[in-house]
Amino acid sequence: MATTVRTPMASGRPSIFPLVPVMILSLAGFSFIYVFVSTGESGAVVPGLALLLITMFAAVAVSSAYRSEAVAAPSASVALVCSLALLAALLPSSGNVYADAVVVFAVTAGAVTIFPKAVALPDLGSPRLRDASVAVVFLLPIGLAFAEALFLGLRFWESFHLGGEQSLFFIPFLALWGFLEEALFRGLVQRSMVPALGPGYAIAAAAVLNAAFMLFWGSLMFAIYTLLMGLVMGYLYRRTRSVVYVGTVHALQDTWLIIAFMVLGIGA
């Protein structure tokens, strides 16, 4: 994805005004959903879903109205995130959380694959990987995993538990989702926002949207860690320009996370 050859966008920083209300609406929608998931307050469901739906249509409208790809592309990427959130919220449950997860994963993977073919993304250049990158792939995920395990503690196990055959599916799924998460928020969202916001602010905006999306888990601590993780992954993506690279780091980090919880004795 990061290596796709695109025609460079027009020079000059475009107005970011159209992106501001779209981002604010999306964050408000995710916040209402978090209130429902974390507290069970049913009154937060309707405004949360309504805001996400409004954000999706508003982002699509902005993407269609503005000829500048520097505004259209990031607006379309926000619309994509909101549509995936709505799918996750409204998808009828089969009674099996893992079967439902497979459906969400498959749809998200399909959307991430199709999006670059429909939306013109900026050309950030070819991947730049150096010898030190190999060491980072081995060492950084271990450090991040243990940091996350200590940061979340028992909160992680409020939703997930090891044991039995389910864990055999859960561990590789978690790793695959980590890779897909990077393709979505770094390969699409961050990349699309670079021309409008610049590299630094694009990293921050993508990390914030990533953290807001993770509020669906119902854990503020997890969202905060996702924000920090997003900043790290965003920096690595900026330096390497490779979705495969940051996806690999994230996938290994999620795999090591399980081992970190077991080693630390958390969730026993």
Side-chain angles (χ1 to χ4, degrees), residues 36-246:
F36 167 69
V37 175
S38 60
T39 67
E41 178 56 53
S42 58
V45 175
V46 173
L49 295 178
L51 282 170
L52 288 177
L53 188 62
I54 291 172
T55 304
M56 183 181 70
F57 284 119
V60 170
V62 170
S63 180
S64 301
Y66 280 78
R67 294 183 178 181
S68 170
E69 294 175 354
V71 175
S75 298
S77 69
V78 174
L80 175 63
V81 172
C82 289
S83 66
L84 292 174
L86 286 168
L87 170 69
L90 299 176
L91 186 71
S93 175
S94 65
N96 186 317
V97 65
Y98 296 99
D100 295 339
V102 168
V103 175
V104 174
F105 181 89
V107 173
T108 302
V112 169
T113 302
I114 295 173
F115 187 88
K117 300 181 183 299
V119 177
L121 295 174
D123 179 19
L124 301 183
S126 301
R128 299 183 303 177
L129 298 175
R130 297 180 173 84
D131 294 340
S133 301
V134 178
V136 172
V137 168
F138 285 102
L139 299 177
L140 183 60
I142 297 176
L144 289 173
F146 276 89
E148 183 175 1
L150 292 171
F151 190 81
L152 297 179
L154 292 173
R155 292 180 180 272
F156 183 86
W157 302 105
E158 293 173 359
S159 301
F160 297 98
H161 304 270
L162 285 179
E165 295 181 357
Q166 290 182 332
S167 297
L168 297 178
F169 175 85
F170 174 65
I171 294 175
F173 177 81
L174 190 64
L176 288 173
W177 179 259
F179 194 97
L180 184 58
E181 191 177 327
E182 292 308 310
L184 174 60
F185 289 101
R186 252 55 65 183
L188 297 185
V189 177
Q190 179 179 322
R191 177 180 173 181
S192 68
M193 291 184 174
V194 169
L197 302 181
Y201 285 114
I203 291 174
V208 168
L209 192 61
N210 191 178
F213 186 85
M214 290 302 159
L215 286 174
F216 266 72
W217 292 58
S219 172
L220 184 59
M221 294 291 287
F222 185 68
I224 292 174
Y225 184 83
T226 299
L227 173 62
L228 300 176
M229 179 78 167
L231 294 174
V232 173
M233 293 296 102
Y235 173 77
L236 288 180
Y237 179 61
R238 176 184 175 184
R239 292 297 300 272
T240 64
R241 304 171 183 172
S242 173
V243 172
V244 173
Y245 181 79
V246 293

